[in-house]
Amino acid sequence: MASGLLSDCASSSSCSIRLHQFKGKSRAFARPFGCNGSISLPLRNLSVKNCTFASNSTGWSLSAVSSAAMTDNASAIIIDGKAVAKQIREEVASEVARLKDAFGIIPGLAVILVGSRKDSQTYVRNKKKSCEDVGITSYEVNLPEYCTEEEVLKHISVFNNDPSVHGILVQLPLPRHMNEQNILNSVSIEKDVDGFNPLNIGCLALQGREPLFVPCTPKGCMDLLHRHNIEIKGKRAAVIGRSNIVGMPAALLLQRENATVTVVHSRTSNPEEIVRQADIVISACGIANLVRGSWLKPGAVVIDVGINPVEDPESPRGYRLVGDVCYEEACKIASAITPVPGGVGPMTIAMLLSNTLTSAKRIHNIK
Amino acid sequence: MASGLLSDCASSSSCSIRLHQFKGKSRAFARPFGCNGSISLPLRNLSVKNCTFASNSTGWSLSAVSSAAMTDNASAIIIDGKAVAKQIREEVASEVARLKDAFGIIPGLAVILVGSRKDSQTYVRNKKKSCEDVGITSYEVNLPEYCTEEEVLKHISVFNNDPSVHGILVQLPLPRHMNEQNILNSVSIEKDVDGFNPLNIGCLALQGREPLFVPCTPKGCMDLLHRHNIEIKGKRAAVIGRSNIVGMPAALLLQRENATVTVVHSRTSNPEEIVRQADIVISACGIANLVRGSWLKPGAVVIDVGINPVEDPESPRGYRLVGDVCYEEACKIASAITPVPGGVGPMTIAMLLSNTLTSAKRIHNIK
């Protein structure tokens, strides 16, 4: 069924599926799932480049969105994460400049990279570049694949004690011989800009508590909803995937804002039925084109966190990126949807910058 | 609508409701909600005294349950929390005896009570009695209502450093002039047998992490399901109420065991509809008789955490205790149900004893 070839999810009306959680930040090459046939709607049709958003002081006006970039018969508004992320980076840059001018403080983000995975190197390079763009100082440590856990811990300890560093990020996945929990736990909670410390997650789950940091990707999802004035309170939400870094914290965040949340996962027997009841769908399962148009409630808002490479012989790279949601179908049913790429993806780094800024302000007690 | 008088929830087939969260461990006197008319089925008919459970090495056999104690037309098996709690206490007592004989170790539980609330005094007295019954040493500190936060913190610090104390419990609610978070945070995580520390909750939410302690009431709910061999994996579950001490951790526990969980709360617009899809319902909202028979999927398993006093002029005390679930209706629809009282209630203290034993074994590194 999963042919591994570039496929058209619109060609198959139903499919038997099992969700699989994605593990860590870097996902294995995913094959299209539940989709057959060859491509009929290349993603270039779904480009958001022609899409104009009107921004105002409180958010983005959905009504002002052009439908020029949509596929035929598409009714959904495209939530342009790239444009929102750009705005956030500008907001961060402006605040970073104020901190420097008024207090002489420059926020700093330290990234520790172990090994030489190409994807991790790319992520780290992008983070470094984004920091520079907004005026955050970036610190980087590259350690060889076969260094010891102690060496990693030593560098974390140095950054924990360095007052010019306000955020520390350990690029995942770590080499297998290292204990990820030990390493992540060693990052000072005041500098844990990824928000993965269990204490942070506990505060996210508990009413009346506030986490120091909200994990970047789910925070980005919520920000997209907020800036598009999408009502959350009282709405039904389905979160697909229960990973520690996206699905689970996304569900907690939606519930904090008074949505009624159901988490759909690999053991859910009737995912379609549950997703079909949701006004808001956040999908973060890492399975290409899993969520079909028929899974969606008409008018639902869809936030697609998946970035899944599927083979594409027509692409120079041999593959292209698609989301967890079958976009070609979903954009005809949903009222708003994030594209892949250009949806949630750009928001993650924007939120990392925002968390680093927040950290610097908190550490220096600046409002 | 909510008359405040003893009422028969069977007399009204539908009602417009709003859920309200209950706050803290002690709840205010709750009036019946969504129920009209006068009583027709007094709770004495629902006594579980005549109900025989067959216990075996792995759990309780549902099929061996007599229906003698059920109301007319009732098909549900009554989950006898009193009997299960008794068995757990016996298991704990036996293990406590082994610890004493083999290692000379006696588990110790310290309880701090501030003020003179009658209900809190009763809870503390029951805990002390239960400790004595299983051989756990109980330590008690009673402080006056108007003592300072520092005095409470000082006593916690003494217990944190006392090697004969393996569990510390601060009876809630605390007087208003105290910062509950500060006080609860000061309890050493290794002795936080209530499991309310955010770090514990974070570990409960995160895959691949294990909390040191699971909060007692939700742990008791899960234990009732386990000991009755009720399958959780792949089932739909509805948790009614999202309190820090019951609803939220119960939802996390169900999800850890691969249920697909929806948390229903005060802002949920269609609670009946959601609950009706659930194979397992855990209700912990503190509203008498909220969940009607018509809310339940036929064959659902119902765990009723609510213990709500409703006025009852016929009772010597002037009130009687009912659950969140309209028992008279539910026992005709559900396949299994906990009564109130005698369901989840007795499990909470049993789990507290169990957590204290676990703590003593962990601190002394005993398997």
Side-chain angles (χ1 to χ4, degrees), chain A residues 213-329:
Chain A
F213 300 103
V214 173
C216 300
T217 304
K219 188 180 178 186
C221 296
M222 298 304 288
D223 206 60
L224 286 177
L225 296 174
H226 294 155
R227 289 185 187 239
H228 289 82
N229 297 321
I230 291 159
E231 196 170 4
I232 298 170
K233 179 175 154 184
K235 299 295 179 189
R236 288 289 299 274
V239 175
I240 307 175
R242 53 176 164 171
S243 69
N244 289 345
I245 60 173
V246 188
M248 180 271 291
L252 294 176
L253 285 166
L254 285 165
Q255 186 168 300
R256 274 176 98 86
E257 297 197 23
N258 295 313
T260 300
V261 187
T262 307
V263 178
V264 170
H265 52 74
S266 57
R267 305 295 180 171
T268 300
S269 53
N270 51 351
E272 305 94 314
E273 193 187 309
I274 294 167
V275 174
R276 210 175 291 129
Q277 294 174 357
D279 304 298
I280 298 168
V281 177
I282 296 185
S283 185
C285 62
I287 304 173
N289 295 319
L290 173 80
V291 179
R292 313 297 304 265
S294 61
W295 288 36
L296 298 172
K297 178 177 176 176
V301 174
V302 178
I303 306 291
D304 190 351
V305 183
I307 303 177
N308 311 296
V310 291
E311 288 180 30
D312 180 0
E314 289 178 28
S315 158
R317 294 179 298 182
Y319 69 93
R320 65 184 178 101
L321 299 174
V322 302
D324 296 344
V325 179
C326 182
Y327 191 97
E328 295 85 338
E329 292 178 2

Side-chain angles (χ1 to χ4, degrees), chain B residues 118-336:
Chain B
K118 286 274 171 286
D119 54 352
S120 292
Q121 287 173 335
T122 305
Y123 291 137
V124 168
R125 197 165 50 242
N126 289 343
K127 284 167 188 168
K128 198 175 171 181
K129 169 80 170 59
S130 300
C131 281
E132 285 165 8
D133 289 348
V134 298
I136 291 177
T137 306
S138 75
Y139 302 85
E140 199 182 327
V141 168
N142 292 299
L143 296 167
E145 178 86 14
Y146 290 103
C147 72
T148 65
E149 196 172 309
E150 285 63 38
E151 282 178 87
V152 180
L153 292 173
K154 196 192 74 187
H155 283 282
I156 291 174
S157 171
V158 169
F159 286 137
N160 279 341
N161 295 312
D162 184 343
S164 61
V165 170
H166 306 97
I168 302 169
L169 197 144
V170 181
Q171 184 65 42
L172 300 178
L174 287 161
R176 292 193 176 200
H177 67 281
M178 291 186 185
N179 184 325
E180 187 179 298
Q181 279 190 25
N182 276 355
I183 288 175
L184 292 183
N185 282 352
S186 75
V187 174
S188 158
I189 184 137
E190 285 80 18
K191 300 186 179 184
D192 174 39
V193 283
D194 255 343
F196 296 158
N197 189 299
L199 190 56
N200 248 322
I201 297 292
C203 289
L204 200 62
L206 287 158
Q207 291 182 72
R209 303 265 185 165
E210 288 298 327
L212 287 178
F213 300 101
V214 173
C216 301
T217 304
K219 188 179 179 186
C221 295
M222 298 303 288
D223 206 58
L224 286 176
L225 295 174
H226 294 155
R227 289 183 187 241
H228 289 81
N229 297 320
I230 291 159
E231 196 170 2
I232 298 169
K233 179 175 155 184
K235 299 295 179 189
R236 288 289 299 275
V239 174
I240 308 175
R242 52 176 165 172
S243 69
N244 289 346
I245 59 172
V246 189
M248 181 269 291
L252 295 176
L253 285 166
L254 285 164
Q255 186 168 299
R256 275 176 98 86
E257 298 198 23
N258 295 313
T260 300
V261 186
T262 308
V263 179
V264 170
H265 51 76
S266 57
R267 304 295 180 171
T268 299
S269 53
N270 51 350
E272 304 94 313
E273 194 186 309
I274 294 167
V275 173
R276 210 174 290 126
Q277 294 174 358
D279 304 297
I280 298 168
V281 177
I282 296 184
S283 186
C285 62
I287 304 172
N289 295 320
L290 173 80
V291 178
R292 312 297 304 266
S294 61
W295 287 37
L296 297 172
K297 178 176 176 175
V301 173
V302 179
I303 305 290
D304 189 351
V305 183
I307 304 176
N308 311 295
V310 292
E311 288 178 32
D312 180 0
E314 289 179 27
S315 157
R317 294 179 297 184
Y319 69 91
R320 65 183 177 104
L321 298 174
V322 302
D324 294 345
V325 179
C326 182
Y327 191 98
E328 296 85 338
E329 292 178 2
C331 65
K332 294 170 190 160
I333 313 288
S335 65

Side-chain angles (χ1 to χ4, degrees), chain A residues 34-357:
Chain A
C35 299
N36 294 309
S38 60
I39 187 158
S40 65
L41 284 168
L43 268 194
R44 63 178 176 274
N45 287 358
L46 310 178
S47 158
V48 295
K49 283 181 185 160
N50 301 325
C51 190
T52 56
F53 281 86
S55 75
N56 56 34
S57 60
T58 56
W60 295 75
S61 167
L62 280 179
S63 58
V65 176
S66 153
S67 64
M70 296 176 191
T71 55
D72 293 344
N73 305 320
S75 56
I77 287 153
I78 298 172
I79 297 176
D80 185 351
K82 211 168 158 184
V84 175
K86 182 169 176 283
Q87 188 184 336
I88 293 166
R89 288 198 308 270
E90 286 167 5
E91 290 165 7
V92 170
S94 149
E95 189 66 0
V96 166
R98 182 179 78 90
L99 250 60
K100 191 177 173 185
D101 294 346
F103 307 97
I105 289 160
I106 303 172
L109 175 68
V111 180
I112 294 171
L113 173 64
V114 186
S116 51
R117 284 177 66 118
K118 287 271 172 287
D119 55 352
S120 292
Q121 287 174 335
T122 306
Y123 290 136
V124 169
R125 199 165 49 241
N126 289 345
K127 284 167 188 169
K128 198 174 170 182
K129 169 81 170 58
S130 301
C131 282
E132 284 166 9
D133 290 347
V134 298
I136 290 176
T137 305
S138 75
Y139 302 85
E140 197 182 327
V141 168
N142 292 298
L143 296 168
E145 178 87 14
Y146 290 103
C147 73
T148 63
E149 197 173 310
E150 286 64 38
E151 282 178 87
V152 181
L153 293 173
K154 197 191 74 188
H155 283 283
I156 292 173
S157 171
V158 170
F159 286 136
N160 279 343
N161 294 312
D162 184 343
S164 61
V165 170
H166 305 97
I168 302 170
L169 196 144
V170 180
Q171 183 64 42
L172 300 179
L174 286 163
R176 292 191 177 200
H177 66 282
M178 290 184 184
N179 185 325
E180 188 179 298
Q181 279 191 25
N182 275 354
I183 290 175
L184 293 183
N185 282 352
S186 75
V187 174
S188 157
I189 185 137
E190 285 80 18
K191 300 187 179 184
D192 174 38
V193 283
D194 255 343
F196 297 157
N197 189 300
L199 190 55
N200 248 322
I201 298 292
C203 290
L204 200 62
L206 287 159
Q207 292 182 72
R209 303 265 185 165
E210 288 298 328
L212 287 178
F213 300 103
V214 173
C216 300
T217 304
K219 188 180 178 186
C221 296
M222 298 304 288
D223 206 60
L224 286 177
L225 296 174
H226 294 155
R227 289 185 187 239
H228 289 82
N229 297 321
I230 291 159
E231 196 170 4
I232 298 170
K233 179 175 154 184
K235 299 295 179 189
R236 288 289 299 274
V239 175
I240 307 175
R242 53 176 164 171
S243 69
N244 289 345
I245 60 173
V246 188
M248 180 271 291
L252 294 176
L253 285 166
L254 285 165
Q255 186 168 300
R256 274 176 98 86
E257 297 197 23
N258 295 313
T260 300
V261 187
T262 307
V263 178
V264 170
H265 52 74
S266 57
R267 305 295 180 171
T268 300
S269 53
N270 51 351
E272 305 94 314
E273 193 187 309
I274 294 167
V275 174
R276 210 175 291 129
Q277 294 174 357
D279 304 298
I280 298 168
V281 177
I282 296 185
S283 185
C285 62
I287 304 173
N289 295 319
L290 173 80
V291 179
R292 313 297 304 265
S294 61
W295 288 36
L296 298 172
K297 178 177 176 176
V301 174
V302 178
I303 306 291
D304 190 351
V305 183
I307 303 177
N308 311 296
V310 291
E311 288 180 30
D312 180 0
E314 289 178 28
S315 158
R317 294 179 298 182
Y319 69 93
R320 65 184 178 101
L321 299 174
V322 302
D324 296 344
V325 179
C326 182
Y327 191 97
E328 295 85 338
E329 292 178 2
C331 65
K332 295 170 189 161
I333 313 288
S335 65
I337 185 167
T338 57
V340 175
V344 177
M347 294 295 288
T348 301
I349 288 188
M351 290 297 133
L352 177 66
L353 302 174
S354 167
N355 277 356
T356 305
L357 170 64

